[in-house]
Amino acid sequence: MASIGRQTVSVSEALIEFIDRHPRLFVLTGAGCSTDSGIPDYRDADGEWKRGRPVMLQDFLANEHARKRYWARSLVGWTRMRGARPNDAHRALARLEYRERIELLVTQNVDGLHQAAGSTRVIDLHGRIDVVRCMDCSRRIPREHLQTELTRRNPAFAALAEARRAKAGPDGDADLEGVAFETFDVPACDVCGGLLKPDVVFFGEGVPGDRVRQSMAALDASDAMLIVGSSLMVYSGYRFAKAMADMGKPIAAVNLGRTRADDVLTLKITNRCADALSFLL
Ligand SMILES: [Zn+2]
């Protein structure tokens, strides 16, 4: 831990006590959990956008230029995303599951790093960035397969990825400006020629109902909620904190900045996720 001041020690003890007192935890994780794995987050400490808003579903479906721009940036961003490895926050939560303390872990992240760290009771609320789905025939393919095809069709963009000059963004995105997206060649589904989309929930898109129902059932069965690295600015995550608060159950949060649920938290730890949870390792 960065500082060994009296306050830091007592804060850490408060979290240990919270976890000890509530054996069935509903855990909700967000981008702050993965920043130590080199994946940037969307929002600053005040919950505001750090960069441009990500592509909206409606734009992606309706607008060919939006798709070219998305996949061009993704071709470059994926080279970093696929190399990401779990950090101590993921490992600590996997250990907590091993100790049978987790009813369910619901993540807003699409990076699969909880599973890579060994967690199995996981719901990927917003899907997985390492999978691509055809919007027409629903066939799913590994993102890595598409990378081969994107690279083959777009050698100039692949060279940009190679040069690693573009700044990495959240969810396998990368900043690419001043390039001609019009020239980008986007592959279609091999089987039906349909439109390919990463198997993640875009902004402007609803979370599939079965994921919400499973999560709500686990929320009911849990005796407390632990939020790790999420500002809860997106409703899809905030609704769980709200439901928990409505049931009068305690909620603890580890987050570097403010969260949308700050006024209903039982315990708030303002610290990096890996540091705050390191006592579990
Ligand atoms: Zn298809």
Side-chain angles (χ1 to χ4, degrees), residues 131-142 145 188-192 195-197 199:
V131 178
V132 173
R133 189 165 69 92
C134 172
M135 297 298 284
D136 293 327
C137 73
S138 296
R139 193 171 79 102
R140 286 180 163 83
I141 58 168
H145 289 190
C189 173
D190 271 351
V191 174
C192 78
L195 194 152
L196 298 177
K197 175 182 172 289
D199 200 13

